[in-house]
Amino acid sequence: MKYKVGVCQFEPKLFDLEYNLKRMEDLLEPINADLIVLPELAASGYVFTNIDEVKKISESAEDGATADLFKKLASGKNTSYVVGFAEKDGNDLYNSSMLVNPDGDIHVYRKTHLFFEEKKWFTPGNTGFKVFNAKDGIKVGLMVCFDWIFPESARSLTLNGAQIIAHSTNLVLPWCQQAMITRSLENRIFSITSNRTGTERNGEVELTFTGMSQIVNTKGEILKRMNTTEEAVYITEIDPEKANDKMITELNDAIGDRRPEYYNL
Ligand code: ACM
C-alpha cells in the first residue's frame, strides 16, 4: 500500500496564534499527502514563564482556532494532520496533540512526560498511549516531544498496534533525532518527528530549537531529514503495512520474542 506522509517544520511566534495558524496554512495548502505531522505547541509558541500566559492562549480540542483550521484543511485537502496545541479542559491545561481526519473526527493525546518547566503549568497527560485510525484506516500513535526518552512510550504505541508514530516536538536537547532511529528500529515502526526551529525569548528565558525534523522507516533508515533552520514540508511515500512485519531475521521477532517475565517495568 502506498501512503504519502509528511513532516512540517517552521518557526512559530510566541503568543501569535493568528500568525502561526496562517503560517501553517500557507505551508500546508500546496501539499497533497495522506498524513502530515506538525510541531508541539505549534499555534502558541513554547517559552511560557507563568501559568496565566498558558491560560490565555490555550484552546479547546473541539472548537478552538487550531481545531477549526485543521478540520477545514483535513476535509479540503483529504489529509490527516497531527498538530501540537495547548489544551484547556475546565481548569486543567495539557500539552496535547490532536489527530484531525478528513471526516472531521478529532483524537487527542495529552503529553505523558512533561519536560522541565512545563511541569509548572501543564497537568501530566491522562490519555495514555492510544492508537487511532488516520485516513484509510492507517494506525497512528501519538506521542509528544520528551516522551521519546522513555522507550516505554514508543513500545506501548507499538503494542497497541501503531504502524506510524506521529511525534510532535519542540526539541532543545541534542539527542532525540538519533534516538528516534532506535525507537523505529527496535519497534519496527515508522516515526515522523516534527520539530520547530528558531530561537524564542520571553523575559530572561531564551531557548533555541534544533529543527532536523525527520521521517524514519521500520529499519531505522532516515527517509527525510531537514536542516536545523528551514521552514518547509517534506513528503515521502511509505507502505505502512511494513510495520506489521516484526521479523528481524526469519527466527527473530522484535515483539514476539520479548521475555516480559524477566523485565522490571
Ligand atoms: C520537550 O519536551 N519539549 C523538550
Side-chain angles (χ1 to χ4, degrees):
M1 177 191 192
K2 291 193 166 123
Y3 203 68
K4 263 192 180 175
V5 295
V7 62
C8 175
Q9 173 172 299
F10 78 109
E11 179 175 355
K13 286 193 182 155
L14 183 63
F15 306 136
D16 198 338
L17 201 69
E18 200 175 319
Y19 168 85
N20 296 330
L21 294 176
K22 176 78 168 57
R23 184 78 186 108
M24 288 189 273
E25 186 170 16
D26 288 348
L27 283 163
L28 295 171
E29 189 54 51
I31 308 291
N32 294 313
D34 297 305
L35 169 71
I36 299 178
V37 182
L38 295 107
E40 178 184 11
L41 296 173
S44 61
Y46 183 82
V47 180
F48 301 115
T49 56
N50 63 66
I51 197 163
D52 289 335
E53 292 175 345
V54 189
K55 275 186 191 156
K56 219 179 281 173
I57 199 136
S58 53
E59 311 172 56
S60 148
E62 283 99 49
D63 54 9
T66 300
D68 285 349
L69 170 65
F70 280 91
K71 276 190 273 189
K72 181 180 88 172
L73 279 169
S75 71
K77 301 289 302 179
N78 192 25
T79 299
S80 288
Y81 297 95
V82 174
V83 59
F85 70 111
E87 183 189 359
K88 187 184 310 195
D89 181 20
N91 288 327
D92 288 322
L93 302 167
Y94 296 98
N95 183 344
S96 298
S97 68
M98 63 171 93
L99 166 66
V100 186
N101 283 332
D103 63 6
D105 267 1
I106 294 186
H107 303 282
V108 174
Y109 165 71
R110 292 170 170 165
K111 185 174 185 177
T112 306
H113 305 100
L114 297 173
F115 178 69
F116 196 49
E117 290 196 306
E118 291 171 28
K119 291 187 172 191
K120 295 184 182 170
W121 23 90
F122 290 117
T123 300
N126 56 4
T127 51
F129 293 101
K130 289 208 196 95
V131 171
F132 305 110
N133 284 338
K135 182 184 168 185
D136 298 335
I138 296 307
K139 307 284 180 201
V140 174
L142 274 53
M143 57 186 230
V144 172
C145 206
F146 196 54
D147 285 328
W148 73 266
I149 208 163
F150 303 89
E152 293 87 352
S153 310
R155 176 51 54 87
S156 297
L157 291 172
T158 302
L159 293 175
N160 288 339
Q163 296 167 304
I164 302 171
I165 292 178
H167 184 206
S168 299
T169 71
N170 278 187
L171 294 162
V172 293
L173 301 175
W175 306 299
C176 173
Q177 291 88 343
Q178 287 305 104
M180 285 308 293
I181 293 171
T182 303
R183 296 290 170 271
S184 271
L185 176 64
E186 68 198 358
N187 291 295
R188 309 294 279 194
I189 197 169
F190 294 93
S191 63
I192 305 173
T193 297
S194 168
N195 192 14
R196 60 162 289 173
T197 187
T199 295
E200 198 168 272
R201 282 175 210 87
N202 188 356
E204 303 290 296
V205 188
E206 178 180 298
L207 289 177
T208 296
F209 301 91
T210 59
M212 294 172 68
S213 296
Q214 65 186 21
I215 302 171
V216 178
N217 73 11
T218 60
K219 295 184 174 163
E221 294 159 346
I222 300 169
L223 303 179
K224 296 282 173 190
R225 184 183 268 178
M226 297 197 198
N227 69 25
T228 55
T229 56
E230 67 193 298
E231 294 188 289
V233 183
Y234 280 22
I235 298 289
T236 192
E237 203 164 78
I238 63 167
D239 177 0
E241 285 168 9
K242 288 224 159 72
N244 304 342
D245 174 11
K246 303 300 186 192
M247 300 308 285
I248 297 165
T249 71
E250 58 191 35
L251 296 178
N252 294 100
D253 180 331
I255 298 303
D257 286 357
R258 290 174 312 119
R259 310 281 310 276
E261 65 272 32
Y262 292 111
Y263 305 155
N264 190 2
L265 288 176

